[in-house]
Amino acid sequence: MEKYETWNWEQQQQYENDLDILYSHSVQEGLENNYSEDVATNGVGRYSELTRNGVENMILVLRKYFENDNGVFYDLGSGTGKLATHVALGTNMSKVCGYEYDPIRYKKSIKLLESIDFPNAKPKFINGNFFDYDLSDATIIYFDNTMFYDYMQQNPLSYEILLSNVKQNTVIVTKYQIPCINGITKQIKLQSSSGRHHGFYTIFESFSLDNNG
């Protein structure tokens, strides 16, 4: 996408065209994504992602945070990279980063970057465990905690590991509400391919493991 000083109709058209390219990519495409039935049954091959409308609604609802030119966005469990790429195309965030543990989905996200030009920050994708990384510069964190919710409830110290260096007033967007987060929490429409259409965002203040009961 060509960079413009102000968002105008021509840039909007480029933006829509780039989103068409972005959402034409499928997690099922490519021989590297042909999980066997037994692997898929065990959860490794299962995959859900926010839809185009879901991402657009998140950006709209949290517009004042996404309009921060010094903002930093993290996608924890970034899959094939669509969410982070969409954010990089549609906002002025200074840094957009996704962490993905599965090497197949990570490779898909790297391949996706080759098909799109970015007017501002180009997203960075890292193949690794997001529990191992510093999130202290984040202003917005997206975490689809659907697959992690039961585990983290049973292992409350995982919350401390994940959130220990997150600063106050960071926006944390999740599918399931994290009970140990203290802050202002509101429900948000997050349409996803799995059929679950709602999530939450919290303006983070602190966390307390006592909230887990």
Side-chain angles (χ1 to χ4, degrees):
M1 180 191 293
E2 184 178 346
K3 185 174 183 178
Y4 293 89
E5 293 299 323
T6 59
W7 193 282
N8 56 31
W9 177 243
E10 188 173 358
Q11 183 169 359
Q12 179 67 30
Q13 288 183 309
Q14 287 193 45
Y15 175 60
E16 296 292 341
N17 290 339
D18 281 335
L19 292 186
D20 289 342
I21 294 172
L22 171 60
Y23 287 96
S24 69
H25 288 256
S26 169
V27 70
Q28 303 299 335
E29 291 176 351
L31 296 175
E32 74 273 18
N33 288 297
N34 287 345
Y35 290 102
S36 63
E37 183 176 355
D38 60 327
V39 170
T41 301
N42 289 327
V44 177
R46 295 176 183 173
Y47 184 73
S48 174
E49 59 186 6
L50 288 188
T51 64
R52 179 171 176 166
N53 288 338
V55 180
E56 287 282 87
N57 188 62
M58 178 177 68
I59 293 174
L60 177 63
V61 171
L62 299 170
R63 171 57 66 184
K64 71 176 183 178
Y65 299 97
F66 279 108
E67 286 180 343
N68 179 4
D69 291 345
N70 297 314
V72 176
F73 178 84
Y74 286 105
D75 182 5
L76 307 184
S78 53
T80 59
K82 290 181 182 177
L83 170 57
T85 301
H86 192 151
V87 168
L89 286 170
T91 73
N92 292 324
M93 305 292 282
S94 65
K95 177 181 176 182
V96 177
C97 184
Y99 295 114
E100 175 55 49
Y101 187 76
D102 177 39
I104 292 177
R105 292 170 187 158
Y106 164 73
K107 290 177 182 177
K108 288 286 288 182
S109 67
I110 297 300
K111 184 177 180 180
L112 177 62
L113 293 183
E114 299 172 357
S115 64
I116 295 176
D117 294 322
F118 296 88
N120 298 300
K122 182 177 181 178
K124 180 179 181 181
F125 294 110
I126 296 173
N127 184 205
N129 188 336
F130 52 72
F131 284 102
D132 297 335
Y133 293 91
D134 183 357
L135 304 176
S136 60
D137 61 343
T139 58
I140 305 175
I141 296 171
Y142 177 79
F143 178 31
D144 185 343
N145 58 338
T146 305
M147 297 293 292
F148 296 90
Y149 185 77
D150 289 341
Y151 168 80
M152 296 182 79
Q153 288 293 93
Q154 296 167 10
N155 300 273
L157 285 178
S158 61
Y159 288 121
E160 184 173 6
I161 296 171
L162 183 64
L163 303 172
S164 61
N165 56 19
V166 174
K167 63 179 181 291
Q168 286 188 341
N169 297 319
T170 299
V171 180
I172 301 177
V173 184
T174 58
K175 279 303 185 72
Y176 289 92
Q177 190 172 356
I178 299 178
C180 68
I181 290 183
N182 301 318
I184 300 172
T185 298
K186 295 184 179 181
Q187 195 171 46
I188 183 174
K189 290 183 179 179
L190 292 174
Q191 185 178 4
S192 68
S193 59
S194 65
R196 179 175 174 82
H197 290 194
H198 289 86
F200 299 87
Y201 74 85
T202 301
I203 311 302
F204 178 76
E205 293 179 0
S206 62
F207 69 95
S208 172
L209 295 180
D210 293 339
N211 289 350
N212 287 311

